[in-house]
Amino acid sequence: MTVTLGELYGVVHHRLERAASESLPGDDPFAHALALSQVGTLVGHVDLLLSRPGERVDSAAGDTFRYLHHARRALDGAARWLPAVDPDSAAYGGALGSAVEASGAVIDLIRGHRDDTGAPVTPYALAFTTRSARAYHLSHASSTLQSVSRIVHTVSRTLGNRNASVRLQTAHASLQYASVQARYTGAGADQALAAFPQALSLTPVPALSTDPLTQDAGRIRDDCERLSRAAYETLHGRSVQPLSGSDLQMITRWRALGTMLAGRLLMQAAGEAPSGEAGALLRNCAELFRNSARAWRDVQERWDRVVDVDDPQIHPRLPKPSYEMVRRGQVSRMPRGAPPHPAVEIARASTLRAGRLLFGGGWDPDSPTRPPEARPAPDIVADAGGVAELAQTAYRLTVADWRIAVAGPRAVTAIEHRLLTDVPEHCPADHPYRFYQLHGHQLERLRNSFQQVCAAQQAAAQSLLAAAPAIGMDTSRAVLDAAAHRHITARTWAPVPAAVAVTPGVITLGAVVPPPAAPGRGARL
């Protein structure tokens, strides 16, 4: 399951509070040196998060940077009077070391939305370009620096070296000033950034029949993150493996089925809604999901009898060659084509998970038998984490589908020279072969069909957000999506109602935070 920026910051603050309440032995200079090295790494992380490379520094945060500079210089001066510490071991050990790990994970999470050249790979990469977004980091920096200043004060009181203690007192004062200034300039922070997600790689996670059903909703949301990334890379021409015509057809088929299943899940959830009004709203959402599924099927029909000559995995049924053609050597084997794009398997896995959540772990869409009856609604809702979480999962599907549909015309344009069809009505009179290249009007209809999906998915998303207050669904991710979609198109995504108060639990288990290989030291955002 993915981790969010708000959860990681929660881990940082929780572990810093533990570290600040611990006492250090007064006669162990190595423990003091390790603590100061960890503090220096944390302050460096704060400095890196606030001063994004290549961006103009906000004048309102200038005082914070000045005090941070003074604090780092004082910490470096104090370290000269203490034993040297191996930099590779400074990030580990105790609550302070785990706070360093979590702080480095914050940097790695943000950095993961760009590639090695700094180019965005997800629509969320540009989320921190506004003043209110930068204020989000400042508000968290204030809490971090306040805890760090307490730790520095503790070290300065227990340290036996007067030269180091004097410098630590200077660092303590500078950190406190920096904390106060960061809290002042961090007013008006965009709290929706707490939902800033982890950027997942395009590595499919297969849907197995043995997977616990309680994990399906979370894994569907992860699949949506991967599909969104694939769509964004396609839209901006940054895909390592571009989508082929066969890939587009298979994704369309799986998303048509997946959207229909999501509508069925919402219909089941309506019976478990907290009120009659909420149930009626969810049933309306389910109807709009059916409309979205029909829009996907319309795209699928547009692809009927269209084949990509570079990847003809999906092609019309061909007649068997005659004996005379074989004798003359006029028959050749169909090209194998490239392996499917990872998004194909991701779309398939998300559909399988939705179906198994609805029908049970043994559901198979390729089975020739009639689909089983849906599981009891209470079991479905319980396995999904509640009505609100099930609606959140359905909302994520609308976002991923909308992004796929926005990228679809771009993908078609990139391969239009390879698309052939054998529809007889439009075949040129003097064309000697069965297949011919698509005409301009045929390509235009193919591209326009994706626009119907965009409109249908947007209507479905709007209905879910309208139902959010009644079912208690958190809408912070929708606020983030609205900002991200403004970077994709000029169209407005969906109006978000007043945020539903959701109190996230404090994450304390270390296993929740993926420890980075190098926890943020020297990282570029």
Side-chain angles (χ1 to χ4, degrees), residues 7 31 41 54 61 66 95 111 126 134 183 213 244 335 376 406 413 437 460 473 493 513:
E7 291 170 341
T41 302
R66 185 170 69 254
R111 185 179 55 182
L126 304 176
R134 293 189 186 99
R183 177 172 286 109
L213 294 177
S244 69
V406 168
T413 300
Q437 197 164 7
M473 186 179 96
W493 169 228
V513 183

Side-chain angles (χ1 to χ4, degrees), residues 147-481:
S147 298
V148 167
S149 70
R150 290 167 55 195
I151 295 171
V152 171
H153 182 59
T154 301
V155 174
S156 69
R157 291 174 57 188
T158 57
L159 196 59
N161 190 306
R162 175 172 174 75
N163 291 307
S165 294
V166 170
R167 287 164 175 78
L168 289 180
Q169 290 169 13
T170 302
H172 169 247
S174 297
L175 289 170
Q176 283 194 317
Y177 283 132
S179 174
V180 171
Q181 191 65 31
R183 177 172 286 109
Y184 171 73
T185 54
D190 185 0
Q191 297 302 325
L193 287 169
F196 189 86
Q198 180 182 0
L200 301 178
S201 65
L202 294 182
T203 303
V205 177
L208 306 177
S209 58
T210 55
D211 290 340
L213 294 177
T214 53
Q215 297 180 4
D216 276 348
R219 290 184 176 178
I220 289 172
R221 292 195 287 268
D222 290 351
D223 291 335
C224 291
E225 300 293 346
R226 296 184 177 94
L227 288 173
S228 293
R229 176 169 182 165
Y232 189 81
E233 291 182 351
T234 298
L235 183 64
H236 294 277
R238 299 194 183 113
S239 298
V240 176
Q241 178 185 345
L243 290 170
S244 69
S246 293
D247 293 333
L248 286 169
Q249 292 185 64
M250 288 187 282
I251 290 172
T252 298
R253 291 178 182 179
W254 285 117
R255 290 312 312 136
L257 177 57
T259 305
M260 184 190 69
L261 292 171
R264 289 282 304 274
L265 286 170
L266 288 175
M267 187 63 74
Q268 295 292 319
E272 300 298 309
S275 66
E277 177 194 2
L281 290 170
L282 285 176
R283 280 187 282 273
N284 179 60
C285 294
E287 185 59 35
L288 291 173
F289 268 74
R290 292 192 188 97
N291 294 341
S292 299
R294 283 192 288 268
W296 274 123
R297 284 196 293 272
D298 289 342
V299 177
Q300 187 177 339
E301 290 175 3
R302 292 294 183 189
W303 279 100
D304 188 37
R305 310 200 70 80
V306 175
V307 59
D308 182 347
V309 292
D310 280 11
D311 185 20
Q313 298 178 63
I314 307 297
H315 57 81
R317 183 182 296 275
L318 301 175
K320 291 184 178 180
S322 65
Y323 172 78
E324 192 65 23
M325 292 177 66
V326 175
R327 190 180 66 82
R328 292 178 180 178
Q330 296 176 337
V331 178
S332 60
R333 290 184 176 274
M334 182 74 72
R336 283 182 172 269
H341 190 280
V344 174
E345 177 56 31
I346 296 169
R348 176 180 180 273
S350 67
T351 301
L352 287 176
R353 291 185 176 107
R356 288 168 183 169
L357 188 59
L358 179 63
F359 297 116
W363 179 74
D364 181 4
D366 298 322
S367 174
T369 59
R370 182 180 177 181
E373 294 295 327
R375 296 194 301 144
D379 294 347
I380 295 174
V381 171
D383 288 338
V387 173
E389 287 301 308
L390 181 56
Q392 182 72 241
T393 302
Y395 167 77
R396 299 284 185 86
L397 286 169
T398 66
V399 174
D401 283 355
W402 183 85
R403 291 172 182 167
I404 294 170
V406 168
R410 172 65 183 266
V412 171
T413 300
I415 61 172
E416 62 182 18
H417 61 286
R418 306 173 355 201
L419 299 180
L420 304 181
T421 185
D422 65 344
V423 176
E425 299 90 79
H426 303 292
C427 183
D430 56 347
H431 193 70
Y433 303 109
R434 172 181 174 179
F435 285 88
Y436 59 92
Q437 197 164 7
L438 265 68
H439 297 295
H441 65 89
Q442 292 173 299
L443 289 167
E444 195 61 28
R445 282 199 296 268
L446 196 57
R447 282 188 283 261
N448 289 342
S449 62
F450 286 101
Q451 296 180 7
Q452 304 303 317
V453 176
C454 287
Q457 294 295 345
Q458 195 162 354
Q462 289 174 352
S463 68
L464 281 169
L465 294 176
I471 61 178
M473 186 179 96
D474 182 16
T475 56
S476 56
R477 181 58 181 270
V479 177
L480 197 63
D481 290 332

Side-chain angles (χ1 to χ4, degrees), residues 18-80:
R18 284 176 49 199
S21 62
E22 293 177 353
S23 59
L24 291 172
D27 57 348
D28 189 351
F30 289 97
H32 294 127
L34 177 61
L36 290 184
S37 178
Q38 293 168 334
V39 164
T41 302
L42 275 169
V43 174
H45 288 175
V46 171
D47 196 10
L48 182 61
L49 284 165
L50 296 183
S51 57
R52 297 288 303 279
E55 291 186 4
R56 183 170 59 87
V57 176
D58 192 339
S59 58
D63 289 341
T64 304
F65 286 111
R66 185 170 69 254
Y67 290 127
L68 279 178
H69 175 70
H70 293 163
R72 296 183 74 176
R73 189 169 59 183
L75 287 170
D76 290 341
R80 297 192 188 100

